[in-house]
Amino acid sequence: MADKTVPGVIRKLDEVVVNRIAAGEVIQRPANALKEMIENSLDAKSTSIQVTVKQGGLKLLQIQDTGTGIRKEDMEIVCERFTTSKLKQFEDLNSIATYGFRGEALASISHVAHVTITTKTADSKCAFRGKYVDSKLKEPLKPCAGNQGTQISVEDLFYNIPTRRKALKSPAEEHAKIAEVVSRYAIHNSRVGFTLKKQGEGVADVRTPPNSSTVDNIRTIYGASVARELLEIDHQDDKLSFWVKGHVSNANYSAKKSTFLLFINRKYSTITLYRLVDSSALKKALEGVYQAYLPKNTHPFIYLSLEIAPQNVDVNVHPTKHEVHFLHEDAIIEAIVRAVETKLLGANSSRTYFTQVMGSSYLIPPEHTSRR
Ligand code: ADP
Ligand code: MG
């Protein structure tokens, strides 16, 4: 037994261990790693993104894109922490610091998996392949054949964190999470073609062609029953400086499970990109709007893309928290709710009527009046 009067000796943990623990906190499951890699492929202006998965991404998680590729000279440091082609100066950090990843995604992944990158830029004669462990190149780059773009293979995720691996759900559930991430990015980036396949299988789980529309992709992924009942949202608010666009289902559509897709802008020095996030406050508020229209215990389909002033994104959001917060949140949510409600109202004016309650007008669909 330890002597109660003698303090323990404080030692600095091995750097490899520290990095692994930190990485395991950021990358909690295959779908988190994939989200980062999809964003990198989109950042690199890919027109097509193919994801191949084995055992729910635990054995293999591979992404192949048609983007700019990575310069051979950069391959040495690409998996190191804080190496990025997207920020140039300290001031840039402010605008994206809130999303956590500042050249850290590939580094994090390489601390908890075996990473292989094969990449070719337009002006290179051949592709190059590098294998990475703990953010370092394991052996010299190998020239190889390849098309322009980048392929990243993540193998044996969490091979060095058995507890994290054990805590994960079944491969089938991890695969479902991956399919959800691919589907959502496909809807938000309809110009880019997406494919998700299990390795060795001919039929894709998700497939969207390049240059399609948002509604086309909603139809392909979520079905015609929702795609034909969509209302377009496009509302700009100068006072609160935000702009919300998207598609939400009308009162003819209801589902047992709610679908809520929310993207928020992320600004780099020269580009604005969108990140998939959660906002339970916005979700709850919008579901509340639909309560008056939909049968009990059924839910709408909501896809929204929200652009807010970068300085309004809450600086306390940590990358592991997918939940997003922003300044003037209540007011912005209220304005979004009003925009959606107005659309619903317009679309349902034939089947609804107004009633005056204490000076303010409430919309009550006839089929629900008995519930009030
Ligand atoms: P960040 O995206 O914040 O810069 P990452 O760790 O995700 O950090 O990526 C590090 C760098 O690697 C990126 O800045 C980019 O230059 C390069 N990179 C990663 N993935 C790709 C890709 N698919 N195509 C081109 N470049 C990539
Ligand atoms: Mg990234």
Side-chain angles (χ1 to χ4, degrees):
M1 229 185 129
D3 187 332
K4 277 188 190 139
T5 59
V6 181
V9 178
I10 299 180
R11 288 189 194 85
K12 205 171 178 83
L13 279 173
D14 185 60
E15 206 187 305
V16 172
V17 175
V18 172
N19 287 335
R20 188 176 305 161
I21 293 168
E25 273 169 11
V26 179
I27 307 291
Q28 297 192 322
R29 60 195 324 164
N32 300 148
L34 181 63
K35 184 173 164 180
E36 294 306 322
M37 293 195 289
I38 289 178
E39 292 197 346
N40 283 342
S41 294
L42 292 167
D43 295 356
K45 305 184 189 75
S46 301
T47 52
S48 158
I49 295 176
Q50 286 181 44
V51 179
T52 310
V53 169
K54 206 163 145 184
Q55 282 179 29
L58 290 162
K59 190 78 207 121
L60 172 74
L61 182 61
Q62 186 179 76
I63 182 166
Q64 165 92 56
D65 70 38
T66 55
T68 56
I70 301 166
R71 292 162 359 120
K72 186 191 172 205
E73 308 87 283
D74 293 338
M75 285 288 277
E76 184 85 35
I77 59 159
V78 67
C79 282
E80 279 178 29
R81 202 169 176 210
F82 305 133
T83 55
T84 177
S85 56
K86 295 162 201 171
L87 298 178
K88 301 225 160 50
Q89 52 207 10
F90 183 75
E91 287 66 44
D92 285 353
L93 255 182
N94 264 340
S95 53
I96 66 144
T98 49
Y99 291 118
F101 288 97
R102 299 142 290 194
E104 290 181 89
L106 281 181
S108 299
I109 296 168
S110 81
H111 283 293
V112 293
H114 297 118
V115 174
T116 306
I117 304 183
T118 309
T119 189
K120 183 182 173 302
T121 55
D123 57 8
S124 169
K125 284 201 181 69
C126 65
F128 288 94
R129 174 170 301 154
K131 289 179 182 283
Y132 301 82
V133 170
D134 291 329
S135 81
K136 299 271 187 305
L137 246 188
K138 225 169 51 174
E139 55 197 34
L141 290 179
K142 285 201 180 96
C144 56
N147 296 326
Q148 187 190 323
T150 303
Q151 183 191 70
I152 302 185
S153 299
V154 175
E155 287 170 280
D156 303 314
L157 189 62
F158 305 134
Y159 74 97
N160 51 8
I161 323 184
T163 47
R164 169 73 71 207
R165 177 127 199 170
K166 281 202 201 91
L168 285 181
K169 306 220 166 86
S170 69
E173 275 176 77
E174 296 306 326
H175 190 84
K177 291 271 177 209
I178 286 171
E180 196 176 290
V181 168
V182 174
S183 301
R184 289 171 176 219
Y185 276 92
I187 284 171
H188 188 71
N189 301 276
S190 53
R191 306 226 131 267
V192 179
F194 282 83
T195 327
L196 168 66
K197 262 189 194 175
K198 294 196 186 82
Q199 198 187 43
E201 287 190 10
V203 188
D205 296 322
V206 179
R207 181 190 293 280
T208 61
N211 293 317
S212 50
S213 71
T214 303
V215 176
D216 281 341
N217 285 357
I218 293 176
R219 185 179 303 111
T220 306
I221 293 166
Y222 290 95
S225 62
V226 55
R228 65 168 166 259
E229 307 290 359
L230 292 175
L231 303 167
E232 193 171 349
I233 304 292
D234 188 343
H235 172 80
Q236 198 166 353
D237 195 311
D238 295 329
K239 217 177 89 218
L240 292 163
S241 353
F242 78 89
W243 189 2
V244 64
K245 287 194 276 192
H247 296 270
V248 301
S249 54
N250 63 27
N252 296 328
Y253 173 84
S254 62
K256 289 227 161 61
K257 259 188 70 192
S258 126
T259 309
F260 181 73
L261 281 66
L262 177 65
F263 283 81
I264 288 195
N265 61 306
R266 172 185 59 148
K267 204 170 158 46
Y268 283 123
S269 41
T270 49
I271 28 172
T272 300
L273 300 152
Y274 287 82
R275 188 165 173 88
L276 178 64
V277 293
D278 282 332
S279 163
S280 37
L282 179 58
K283 182 174 184 225
K284 197 169 154 222
L286 287 172
E287 292 239 319
V289 174
Y290 280 88
Q291 258 175 28
Y293 296 85
L294 304 187
K296 234 185 158 157
N297 297 322
T298 66
H299 306 272
F301 171 95
I302 296 166
Y303 155 59
L304 293 176
S305 165
L306 180 58
E307 197 174 322
I308 51 182
Q311 66 268 22
N312 281 356
V313 180
D314 193 326
V315 287
N316 295 316
V317 176
H318 190 262
T320 57
K321 304 217 170 63
H322 307 286
E323 182 84 19
V324 77
H325 289 287
F326 32 93
L327 300 185
H328 316 300
E329 187 165 311
D330 291 347
I332 290 178
I333 288 178
E334 207 186 301
I336 296 172
V337 160
R338 248 182 283 122
V340 169
E341 200 158 29
T342 307
K343 270 285 172 173
L344 271 169
L345 240 155
N348 292 288
S349 51
S350 57
R351 7 182 299 170
T352 52
Y353 63 95
F354 283 102
T355 185
Q356 287 292 122
V357 184
M358 296 200 304
S360 57
S361 49
Y362 285 83
L363 174 75
I364 303 178
E367 62 269 43
H368 294 287
T369 43
S370 57
R371 282 179 25 212
R372 298 238 170 177

